[in-house]
Structure formats: structure tokens, C-alpha cells
Amino acid sequence: MCLGVPGKVTDIRDDRGTKMATVDFGGVTKEICLAYVPGAEIGQYTIVHAGFAITLLDEASALETLAMMREVGLLDDELGLDDSMLAQVDTGPDGGAS
């Protein structure tokens, strides 16, 4: 199964004419294409599917979804984390999301 996962945009840059970002998924970062949400700004939350940001959402919804996905084990699967990587992810009271 492939789900859309909420993450926080922490960096935005242009990569040969394509708007790209670093997105933080509660301690795990990935490089994401912002072509579908060109208005995204640093600090905003987005739903990411297959390496593309597909929509923006509010922080409360993003954090709630991340916590639920982590609780039922979906977050690890969707981010492709293995056991060694899981040990490095912050799982504090806020779900590791900033």
C-alpha cells in the first residue's frame, strides 16, 4: 500500500527549474518535488505521495496523522525505515514532529 504522508517543509530550492524541498517526517527527511504545490513555503505541512507534495494542510492535522500512522506502524513502512533507522528517529511525546 502506498499512502500520502504528512511532512514539514524545512528547505526549498530550485533544481534545474523544478521546485524541490527537504521535508521532515517526524525526524526522517526526504527530498520532495513541489511541482504540484508551487506555493508551498518553509514551515508549512504537505501530504507527500511517491516523492511529490500533493497538497498543503494545517499543522494540527499533520501532527495528528503522523502520530496515528506511527502508532499503527504505517509510518515506518511508508518511509522505508528499517530497524537500524528506527533507532535514530525521535519518538518523543510530540511524535517527533517539529
Side-chain angles (χ1 to χ4, degrees), residues 14-51:
D14 182 273
D15 185 359
R16 295 175 281 165
T18 301
K19 193 171 181 181
M20 300 293 290
T22 302
V23 176
D24 184 338
F25 301 94
V28 175
T29 60
K30 302 266 184 180
E31 300 306 305
I32 303 300
C33 179
L34 296 178
Y36 298 133
V37 288
E41 298 177 3
I42 293 173
Q44 289 185 307
Y45 285 82
T46 183
I47 297 288
V48 175
H49 175 70

Side-chain angles (χ1 to χ4, degrees), residues 4-78:
V5 180
K8 185 176 185 177
V9 177
T10 61
D11 176 64
I12 296 175
R13 67 199 157 284
D14 182 273
D15 185 359
R16 295 175 281 165
T18 301
K19 193 171 181 181
M20 300 293 290
T22 302
V23 176
D24 184 338
F25 301 94
V28 175
T29 60
K30 302 266 184 180
E31 300 306 305
I32 303 300
C33 179
L34 296 178
Y36 298 133
V37 288
E41 298 177 3
I42 293 173
Q44 289 185 307
Y45 285 82
T46 183
I47 297 288
V48 175
H49 175 70
F52 289 86
I54 58 174
T55 191
L56 297 174
L57 75 159
D58 64 275
E59 181 177 21
S61 296
L63 296 178
E64 181 180 342
T65 302
L66 279 170
M68 183 275 308
M69 291 178 84
R70 178 170 278 130
E71 184 177 312
V72 298
L74 290 174
L75 188 60
D76 307 335
D77 292 340
E78 289 303 313

